[in-house]
């Protein structure tokens, strides 16, 4: 669906040149929700603006649905942009227009007849949950309602791709979740490809299928969201995962955890998918003559299922401890990592 090759954007300043996006290559499948995450200055917002040429690339190629976006002239680009919707952090609504008139605006520009335009606007108002607010002005709306107007407007011309540039960053947590649920619903109903730019791993965790981590203009890590959570390779990715899981796995923290106990083994358990809902601890305690002490951990829901990390102390005779660990490793889908023998 979307193929990006060698995409680069360099800005010239009086004293030097800054490379905001650095030789970025990426493929995004049709119909998926693809997340791009990075801290401020990573280049992610510049990257998403390059996809519809709100920023002109310095080098590279962007192909959407077999069409080379970077090769289009201004007239061709204007028509193609109708197939690429975009929503923004601060909504970018027309404050002198009502909800329905904001949503109708791109249809007016496209020359859609009024009767067809009115029908499409009402469809979108119903889709985004704004029925009854058609005649309200942006100043009369909450932040979440404003973003729903922005989403409806972006969908007006039935785009193939929806670009979301920090679309939930200005919203409170509850409203953020409602907007993310709406994006998942739209993705399923319309089979729409969504590219979501954010600095919040919670957003990635909740709705994305794939994620790319950006740092200093480059993609430093990429993959299935669940796999990235399970095995974050880069330090920046590890920090993002810690945002959601609420546990740090730095060596010093593990050492502190282990040093509290003077017997048994300290074990880290990775729960994935259905295994996160299993009563594993009580089951193992019944099967083996051991004591299990839960030290810390968290389980969180993702688009692809549940994921969790649990730190436990397993105490008892060495043979029983080893048998319990072998059972978990061989008979369940839970991953086991022995952090320290403290016998």
């Amino acid at each position: 669906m979307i193929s990006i090759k060698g995409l680069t954007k360099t800005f010239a300043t009086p004293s030097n040149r800054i490379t905001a996006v650095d030789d970025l290559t990426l493929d995004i499948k049709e119909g998926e929700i693809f997340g791009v995450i990075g801290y401020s200055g990573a280049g992610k917002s510049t990257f998403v603006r390059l996809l519809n040429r709100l920023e002109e690339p310095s080098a590279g190629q962007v192909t959407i649905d077999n069409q080379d976006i970077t090769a289009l002239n201004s007239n061709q680009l204007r028509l193609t942009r109708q197939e690429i919707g975009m929503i923004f952090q601060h909504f970018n609504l027309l404050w002198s227009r009502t909800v329905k008139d904001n949503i109708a605006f791109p249809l007016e520009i496209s020359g859609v007849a009024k009767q067809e335009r009115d029908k499409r606007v009402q469809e979108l108002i119903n889709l985004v949950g704004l029925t009854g607010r058609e005649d309200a002005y942006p100043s009369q709306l909450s932040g979440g309602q404003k973003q729903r107007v922005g989403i409806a407007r972006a969908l007006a011309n039935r785009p193939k791709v929806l670009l979301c540039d920090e679309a939930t960053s200005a919203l409170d947590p509850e409203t953020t979740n409602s907007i993310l649920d709406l994006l998942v619903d739209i993705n399923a109903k319309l089979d729409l490809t969504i590219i979501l730019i954010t600095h919040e791993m919670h957003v990635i965790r909740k709705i994305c299928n794939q994620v790319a981590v950006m740092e200093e203009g480059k993609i430093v890590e990429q993959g299935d969201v669940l796999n990235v959570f399970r095995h974050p390779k880069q330090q920046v990715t590890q920090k993002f995962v810690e945002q959601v899981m609420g546990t740090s796995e730095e060596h010093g923290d593990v050492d502190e955890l282990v040093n509290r106990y003077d017997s048994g083994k300290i074990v880290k358990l990775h729960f994935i998918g259905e295994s996160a809902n299993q009563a594993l601890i009580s089951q193992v305690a019944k099967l083996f003559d051991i004591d299990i002490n839960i030290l810390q951990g968290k389980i969180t829901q993702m688009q692809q299922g549940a994921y969790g990390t649990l730190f436990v102390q397993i105490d008892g005779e060495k043979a029983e401890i080893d048998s319990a660990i072998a059972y978990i490793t061989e008979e369940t889908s839970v991953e086991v990592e022995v952090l320290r023998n403290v016998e």
Side-chain angles (χ1 to χ4, degrees), residues 37-39 199-201 204 211-215 218-245 247 249-250:
I37 190 167
Y39 290 111
H199 64 274
E200 300 171 298
M201 200 62 170
I204 300 293
V211 62
V213 182
M214 285 191 71
E215 188 175 31
K218 295 179 178 291
I219 290 178
V220 296
E221 193 160 352
Q222 178 192 346
D224 176 280
V225 171
L226 191 54
N227 287 335
V228 169
F229 261 76
R230 288 167 60 188
H231 305 295
K233 296 179 176 63
Q234 302 297 321
Q235 185 176 9
V236 63
T237 313
Q238 292 167 7
K239 289 181 180 179
F240 279 125
V241 171
E242 288 165 14
Q243 285 182 6
V244 174
M245 298 309 296
T247 57
E249 297 176 16
E250 297 292 335

Side-chain angles (χ1 to χ4, degrees), residues 106-126:
L107 297 171
E108 293 174 20
I109 294 174
S110 300
V112 176
K114 187 178 188 307
Q115 185 175 358
E116 183 181 348
R117 191 166 69 227
D118 290 345
K119 180 182 177 182
R120 178 61 177 160
V121 168
Q122 194 57 52
E123 288 175 355
L124 291 165
I125 285 172
N126 295 339

Side-chain angles (χ1 to χ4, degrees), residues 206-330:
K206 187 172 176 65
I207 72 168
C208 293
N209 312 115
Q210 296 280 318
V211 62
V213 182
M214 285 191 71
E215 188 175 31
E216 296 182 351
K218 295 179 178 291
I219 290 178
V220 296
E221 193 160 352
Q222 178 192 346
D224 176 280
V225 171
L226 191 54
N227 287 335
V228 169
F229 261 76
R230 288 167 60 188
H231 305 295
K233 296 179 176 63
Q234 302 297 321
Q235 185 176 9
V236 63
T237 313
Q238 292 167 7
K239 289 181 180 179
F240 279 125
V241 171
E242 288 165 14
Q243 285 182 6
V244 174
M245 298 309 296
T247 57
S248 173
E249 297 176 16
E250 297 292 335
H251 292 301
D253 297 317
V254 173
D255 288 342
E256 182 181 349
L257 190 67
V258 171
N259 288 338
R260 298 177 194 168
Y261 304 93
D262 58 5
S263 63
K265 292 186 178 181
I266 306 299
V267 175
K268 178 180 173 184
L269 304 176
H270 287 288
F271 294 81
I272 304 156
E274 292 183 3
S275 68
N277 300 317
Q278 295 175 357
L280 178 68
I281 301 300
S282 60
Q283 183 181 359
V284 172
K286 290 175 183 177
L287 290 173
F288 302 93
D289 186 18
I290 56 172
D291 293 321
I292 302 181
N293 181 22
I294 297 175
L295 307 180
Q296 68 178 39
K298 183 177 181 180
I299 294 175
T300 187
Q301 291 294 324
M302 299 188 197
Q303 188 68 5
Q304 300 153 302
Y307 167 78
T309 300
L310 201 63
F311 291 86
V312 300
Q313 178 203 24
I314 305 178
D315 210 352
E317 295 293 328
K318 184 179 184 304
E320 285 293 297
I321 295 174
D322 290 343
S323 295
I325 292 174
Y327 171 82
I328 298 170
T329 303
E330 297 168 8

